[in-house]
């Protein structure tokens, strides 16, 4: 038996309530701006005629796409038709990517002011048609909220070939995304052929065999192309042309990123004369004092600009250590000559000079938000990743910003309970968290116009395989797609999740290794409810000046006795963090109580330096002077790669009377973090 399509069920419900089926009920992702559906149907079949009226290039692109998307279109019998036409303007639509669509039983009529708009209309048809090839009749008026809707793929830490990149272009285009940012260069390997500098690809693109983490935490050696077992690869210039063309035919712009002045160990090992000390394997930052650096970067960028028609070229700019610059005579001379007061201004000198060069070729630069340090280049667009502050600073000074804050948009973090997932880099960031992001929240209307868009980033340090890329990207990138396209007022997570489950099925059927959202494990159980115990809402004091960090207060002094547990990540504002060597606190129960247990949970996540305690003590007192130690626990803290949780405390065979309970924990690693979420006394 055929399943009844979901929209028909929705229409039946809506009809029963005497309401038209509207935007939030249509099974399209990203959610269109405005939808009105009725209970008539249009059925796509082999006898459906497709007619495209568009400028020549778009007509060719769209007809080719329709052939692949809908199968053979050459049938003589014509029972109904889909008409796609570019017109000059469309009422109610201001974006060139918007489209308007009317669906009657005999015809689907899509109009747009560009080929891109028609392409997005086609995606809506594909999604509405579903498995039954049946669309509800009605009208849709649709356009994106943001002009830039992007995904970044890090192809340096692990390399993914052109066919794989093309496969991802197909998927993100289906969800109306329009930018693919390729992180082409980084310490782990240079990934684009540059004719003038062959060592970038016959040496700096290859490393000793193995995964990134083995290489990074090992000897970090590069090897020559052709070395047995070498790990790496790169795109030839022909590969790049092929990717760019493939993307253009799906209305996606590829944005190349060439890192500078930092993340350049591979370049500075291939061409050590471009670093301050001229020693291979020693530097991550280019020498900004050396004219050869500019000659190199401009030569590279000239070839890059030839290959990529994108208006924007990403020039990196993040995480420069700047450590060699203060001791480098050339950098010091540059600072003196240019009247630069510190190394931030020296970095800004490089970015501004590169911007001038890129502008002279008719292009613009994007940089990570560190390009704000030392003064922003006059025409630069800022990609805000260390939070939203960089983006806000950019728009406040009249620059465009692309929002990709790590806490919402870094797709290399855990998407489900960490113990159920493969090793990931960042904290727990499920679909719901990504979806909760609003790039213009708190920004006034005028400034919000400078928010160019939003991007999801897949860094690949811990993503060694294609399967893993897809697993981490899908479906969370769909949340980014919807943030970038749809009206925030219409967004509703549980309804989005349902549409995403349908999209996951579609992705899996198409051969993408999407995460199985339907069987998501979900949040840490402890964090989903209030917990009562003797300590709750009593008095807590922090001893010996061992206070929690201002960065991780979890709400302040009461946080560890408020009955609220943390979730899978210490960044959820429910975990209190200590960086002062440990914690030492006393809870005053107000009067003597019978106590049988005192305990607290800790987490360990070694990559961001979060460790289990090495020592825990629990002691009890009736007068806050004389304490009896009831537990003294030593724990051999060892580095591991998993996120883990452990409960430390005392459990008595018989109850003890006490009013004051002191709990101390010593950090498992000197200088490392200690995180706990609640002290429980029973
Ligand atoms: C970044 O994550 N370093 C941009």
């Amino acid at each position: 038996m055929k399943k009844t399509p979901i929209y028909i069920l929705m229409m039946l419900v809506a009809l029963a309530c005497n309401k038209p089926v509207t935007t939030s009920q249509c099974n399209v992702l990203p959610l269109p701006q405005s939808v009105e559906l009725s209970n008539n149907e249009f059925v796509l079949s082999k006898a459906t005629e497709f007619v495209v009226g568009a400028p020549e290039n778009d007509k060719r692109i769209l007809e080719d796409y329709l052939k692949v998307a809908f199968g053979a279109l050459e049938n003589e019998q014509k029972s109904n038709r889909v008409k796609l036409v570019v017109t000059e303007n469309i009422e109610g639509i201001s974006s060139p990517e918007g489209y308007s669509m009317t669906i009657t039983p005999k015809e689907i009529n899509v109009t747009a002011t560009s080929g891109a708009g028609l392409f997005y209309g086609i995606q809506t048809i594909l999604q509405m048609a579903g498995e039954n090839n049946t669309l509800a009749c009605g009208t849709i008026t649709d356009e994106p909220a943001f002009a830039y809707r992007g995904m970044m793929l890090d192809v340096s830490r692990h390399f993914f070939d052109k066919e794989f990149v093309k496969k991802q272009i197909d998927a993100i285009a289906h969800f109306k995304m329009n930018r693919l940012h390729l992180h082409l260069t980084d310490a782990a390997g240079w990934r684009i052929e540059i004719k003038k500098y062959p060592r970038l690809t016959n040496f700096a693109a290859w490393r000793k065999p193995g995964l990134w983490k083995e290489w990074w935490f090992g000897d970090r050696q590069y090897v020559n192309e052709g070395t047995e077992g070498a790990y790496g690869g790169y795109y030839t210039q022909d590969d790049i042309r092929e990717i760019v063309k493939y993307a253009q035919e799906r209305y996606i712009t590829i944005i190349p990123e060439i890192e500078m002045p930092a993340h350049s160990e591979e370049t500075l090992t291939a061409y050590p004369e471009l670093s301050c000390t001229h020693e291979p394997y020693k530097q991550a930052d280019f020498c900004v004092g050396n004219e050869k650096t500019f000659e190199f970067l401009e030569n590279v960028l000239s070839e890059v600009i030839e290959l990529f028609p994108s208006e924007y070229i990403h020039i990196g700019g993040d995480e420069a250590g700047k450590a060699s610059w203060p001791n480098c005579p050339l950098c010091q001379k540059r600072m003196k000559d240019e009247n630069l007061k510190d190394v931030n201004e020296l970095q800004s000198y490089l970015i501004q000079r590169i911007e001038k060069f890129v502008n002279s070729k008719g292009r613009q630069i994007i940089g990570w938000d560190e390009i704000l340090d030392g003064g922003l280049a006059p025409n630069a667009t800022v990609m805000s990743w260390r939070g939203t502050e960089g983006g806000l600073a950019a728009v406040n000074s009249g620059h465009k910003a692309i929002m990709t804050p790590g806490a919402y948009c870094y797709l290399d973090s855990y998407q489900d309970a960490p113990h159920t997932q493969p090793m990931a880099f960042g904290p727990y960031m499920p679909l719901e968290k990504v979806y909760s992001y609003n790039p213009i929240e708190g920004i006034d209307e005028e400034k919000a116009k400078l928010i160019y868009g939003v991007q999801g980033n897949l860094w690949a340090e811990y993503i060694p395989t294609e399967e893993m890329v897809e697993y981490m990207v899908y479906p969370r990138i769909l949340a980014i797609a919807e943030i970038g396209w749809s009206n925030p007022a219409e967004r509703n997570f549980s309804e989005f999740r349902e549409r995403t489950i349908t999209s996951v099925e579609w992705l899996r059927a198409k051969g993408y290794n999407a995460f199985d959202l339907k069987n998501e494990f979900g949040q840490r159980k402890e964090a989903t409810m209030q917990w009562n115990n003797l300590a709750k809402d009593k008095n807590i004091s922090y001893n010996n000046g061992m206070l929690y960090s201002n960065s991780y207060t979890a709400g302040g002094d009461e946080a560890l006795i408020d009955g609220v547990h943390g979730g899978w990540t210490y960044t959820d504002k429910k975990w209190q963090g200590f960086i002062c060597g440990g914690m030492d606190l006393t809870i005053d129960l107000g009067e003597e109580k019978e106590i049988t247990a005192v305990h607290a949970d800790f987490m360990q996540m070694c990559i961001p330096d979060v460790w289990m305690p090495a020592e825990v003590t629990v002691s009890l007192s009736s007068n806050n002077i004389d304490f009896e130690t009831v537990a003294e626990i030593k724990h051999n803290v060892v580095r591991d790669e998993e996120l883990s949780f452990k409960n430390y405390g005392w459990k008595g065979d018989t109850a003890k009377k006490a009013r004051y309970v002191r709990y101390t924990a010593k950090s498992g690693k000197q200088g490392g973090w200690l995180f706990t979420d609640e002290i429980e006394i029973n």
Side-chain angles (χ1 to χ4, degrees):
M1 202 179 77
K2 267 193 177 175
K3 272 203 262 166
T4 312
I6 185 123
Y7 76 86
I8 291 186
L9 293 174
M10 284 170 170
M11 278 190 310
L12 291 175
V13 172
L15 285 173
C17 312
N18 217 9
K19 273 161 83 184
V21 176
T22 54
T23 310
S24 65
Q25 293 164 316
C26 90
N27 204 12
V28 175
L29 198 162
L31 199 61
Q33 297 289 342
S34 161
V35 177
E36 291 259 347
L37 301 179
S38 70
N39 54 355
N40 287 328
E41 288 178 352
F42 177 99
V43 182
L44 280 163
S45 73
K46 289 240 185 290
T48 299
E49 181 186 15
F50 287 81
V51 181
V52 180
E56 200 180 313
N57 193 39
D58 291 307
K59 187 170 157 65
R60 179 192 57 78
I61 289 173
L62 294 168
E63 284 179 350
D64 286 351
Y65 190 84
L66 288 167
K67 272 184 209 142
V68 176
F70 295 96
L73 303 175
E74 305 301 329
N75 201 308
E76 286 298 300
Q77 251 187 320
K78 313 270 191 253
S79 64
N80 57 15
R81 73 170 176 173
V82 175
K83 199 171 143 201
L84 301 136
V85 179
V86 168
T87 63
E88 219 147 77
N89 47 51
I90 299 168
E91 205 184 302
I93 288 179
S94 55
S95 162
E97 294 178 299
Y99 65 96
S100 160
M101 180 148 92
T102 53
I103 309 167
T104 63
K106 283 276 159 217
E107 182 170 276
I108 298 178
N109 197 328
V110 185
T111 53
T113 57
S114 72
L118 295 184
F119 183 80
Y120 296 136
I122 293 170
Q123 303 315 317
T124 296
I125 293 171
L126 282 168
Q127 291 189 13
M128 285 179 77
E131 282 176 16
N132 297 293
N133 287 323
T134 306
L135 290 88
C137 291
T139 61
I140 296 178
T141 312
D142 199 11
E143 63 182 334
F146 295 99
Y148 184 114
R149 304 174 303 280
M151 176 167 111
M152 187 220 67
L153 184 60
D154 169 8
V155 293
S156 173
R157 272 52 174 265
H158 290 100
F159 180 63
F160 306 104
D161 70 18
K162 70 172 181 208
E163 293 307 326
F164 181 75
V165 172
K166 284 157 66 179
K167 183 179 173 199
Q168 308 322 308
I169 288 170
D170 279 333
I172 63 173
H174 184 62
F175 300 103
K176 304 187 175 99
M177 300 189 82
N178 63 1
R179 300 288 192 286
L180 178 65
H181 162 184
L182 291 177
H183 185 73
L184 289 166
T185 73
D186 212 303
W190 182 280
R191 304 289 178 220
I192 174 171
E193 180 188 18
I194 300 294
K195 302 270 189 208
K196 217 177 195 119
Y197 298 103
R199 262 178 82 70
L200 291 173
T201 43
N202 66 26
F203 175 71
W206 303 94
R207 60 185 195 233
K208 278 192 170 168
L211 302 177
W212 174 87
K213 65 182 176 192
E214 289 150 11
W215 176 81
W216 185 253
F217 296 110
D219 64 8
R220 299 192 193 178
Q221 296 289 304
Y222 305 98
V223 297
N224 287 320
E225 184 173 18
T227 303
E228 198 179 329
Y231 179 90
Y234 58 89
Y235 306 112
T236 64
Q237 297 204 345
D238 281 344
D239 290 341
I240 294 287
R241 285 186 200 97
E242 190 176 325
I243 292 170
V244 165
K245 178 166 180 285
Y246 194 84
Q248 279 174 331
E249 289 170 351
R250 282 140 191 87
Y251 296 92
I252 285 184
T253 303
I254 306 284
I255 301 207
E257 180 183 354
I258 304 295
E259 274 277 19
M260 63 191 78
H263 282 277
S264 297
E265 290 91 334
E266 85 293 21
T267 310
L268 301 175
T269 299
Y271 296 96
E273 64 275 22
L274 302 177
S275 73
C276 291
T277 64
H278 298 197
E279 298 163 284
Y281 291 110
K282 289 282 195 263
Q283 307 284 329
D285 302 342
F286 282 93
C287 174
V288 188
N290 189 344
E291 276 305 296
K292 282 196 177 146
T293 291
F294 292 91
E295 188 188 314
F296 172 85
L297 291 174
E298 290 178 8
N299 284 337
V300 167
L301 286 170
S302 293
E303 292 194 35
V304 166
I305 285 168
E306 274 294 305
L307 289 166
F308 294 90
S310 164
E311 178 187 358
Y312 289 93
I313 305 294
H314 201 305
I315 48 84
D318 58 322
E319 299 183 305
K322 304 165 190 155
S324 58
W325 299 347
N327 302 317
C328 166
L330 288 180
C331 286
Q332 289 306 301
K333 180 168 182 326
R334 176 82 74 198
M335 287 175 69
K336 192 155 168 276
D337 293 349
E338 299 290 335
N339 207 13
L340 308 171
K341 73 171 186 308
D342 57 24
V343 287
N344 286 341
E345 290 196 1
L346 185 59
Q347 159 155 318
S348 172
Y349 168 84
L350 175 135
I351 302 289
Q352 296 206 31
R353 197 166 147 184
I354 293 297
E355 178 181 74
K356 268 204 196 105
F357 176 77
V358 172
N359 288 171
S360 77
K361 302 257 177 192
R363 310 297 181 88
Q364 304 289 330
I365 64 162
I366 299 174
W368 298 111
D369 56 55
E370 288 92 330
I371 66 167
L372 284 150
D373 302 342
L376 189 52
N379 306 313
T381 293
V382 170
M383 192 168 263
S384 190
W385 73 279
R386 292 178 300 178
T388 55
E389 296 78 7
L392 297 186
V395 299
N396 282 332
S397 59
H399 289 253
K400 280 202 230 175
I402 298 158
M403 305 306 281
T404 181
Y408 297 90
C409 299
Y410 271 37
L411 307 178
D412 54 340
S413 49
Y414 284 100
Q415 66 189 313
D416 200 358
H419 68 274
T420 66
Q421 295 302 298
M423 168 80 190
F425 197 87
Y428 179 56
M429 204 185 73
L431 183 71
E432 185 167 12
K433 171 91 184 185
V434 182
Y435 195 68
S436 69
Y437 180 54
N438 178 356
I440 53 169
E441 195 166 84
I443 305 180
D444 72 49
E445 219 177 303
E446 268 316 294
K447 301 271 166 57
K449 290 183 186 148
L450 289 168
I451 299 289
Y452 193 21
V454 60
Q455 178 169 289
N457 292 337
L458 189 75
W459 297 104
E461 285 93 334
Y462 287 87
I463 315 280
T465 63
E466 296 180 348
E467 291 72 25
M468 186 72 179
V469 171
E470 293 180 353
Y471 184 81
M472 300 305 270
V473 165
Y474 308 110
R476 285 182 294 180
I477 200 70
L478 276 53
I480 302 286
E482 183 143 315
I483 293 166
W485 186 281
S486 307
N487 177 358
E490 291 277 344
R491 287 209 256 127
N492 166 307
F493 178 69
S494 56
E495 183 274 317
F496 169 73
R497 190 172 187 277
E498 287 306 309
R499 281 181 292 121
T500 305
I501 286 172
T502 307
S503 299
V504 165
E505 280 166 14
W506 179 88
L507 284 160
R508 288 179 153 225
K510 295 263 175 215
Y512 294 87
N513 182 39
F515 166 72
D516 182 9
L517 181 65
K518 221 166 27 187
N519 292 313
E520 188 179 16
F521 185 96
Q523 182 55 283
R524 185 172 177 241
K525 177 175 67 42
E526 289 85 342
T528 59
M529 53 184 115
Q530 271 274 335
W531 296 80
N532 211 357
N533 70 90
L534 293 176
K536 186 163 181 288
D537 300 332
K538 298 299 188 301
N539 281 310
I540 187 167
S541 50
Y542 290 81
N543 305 321
N544 297 321
M546 298 183 82
L547 270 180
Y548 48 87
S549 153
N550 281 336
S551 305
Y552 297 99
T553 67
D557 283 5
E558 316 305 320
L560 298 185
I561 49 166
D562 62 0
V564 176
H565 277 265
W568 296 122
T569 172
Y570 62 87
T571 59
D572 67 2
K573 300 194 163 66
K574 292 179 185 157
W575 289 88
Q576 201 163 72
F578 299 81
I579 190 77
C580 53
M583 60 188 246
D584 181 349
L585 47 88
T586 304
I587 294 162
D588 176 1
L589 299 174
E591 58 184 328
E592 267 200 334
K593 297 273 185 187
E594 299 257 329
I595 297 175
T596 54
V598 177
H599 52 99
D601 286 341
F602 292 83
M603 72 159 72
Q604 177 158 306
M605 196 175 192
C606 299
I607 296 170
D609 215 17
V610 176
W611 301 85
M612 289 293 173
E615 262 176 59
V616 165
T617 65
V618 177
S619 31
L620 308 178
S621 167
S622 294
N623 57 11
N624 205 15
I625 299 167
D626 308 307
F627 277 86
E628 178 197 358
T629 301
V630 290
E632 208 165 3
I633 302 149
K634 291 208 190 312
H635 172 64
N636 184 23
V637 179
V638 282
R639 182 176 191 102
D640 57 21
E641 295 201 328
E642 303 300 323
L643 168 67
S644 55
F645 297 81
K646 198 166 154 61
N647 188 272
Y648 290 81
W650 164 74
K651 195 164 184 329
D653 293 332
T654 54
K656 286 186 182 280
K657 277 194 162 178
R659 171 174 167 177
Y660 299 92
V661 176
R662 187 166 174 192
Y663 193 107
T664 72
K666 192 170 154 222
S667 292
K669 179 172 166 265
Q670 213 183 2
W673 286 94
L674 188 72
F675 275 93
T676 188
D677 59 343
E678 192 73 3
I679 311 289
E680 286 199 21
I681 303 175
N682 302 110

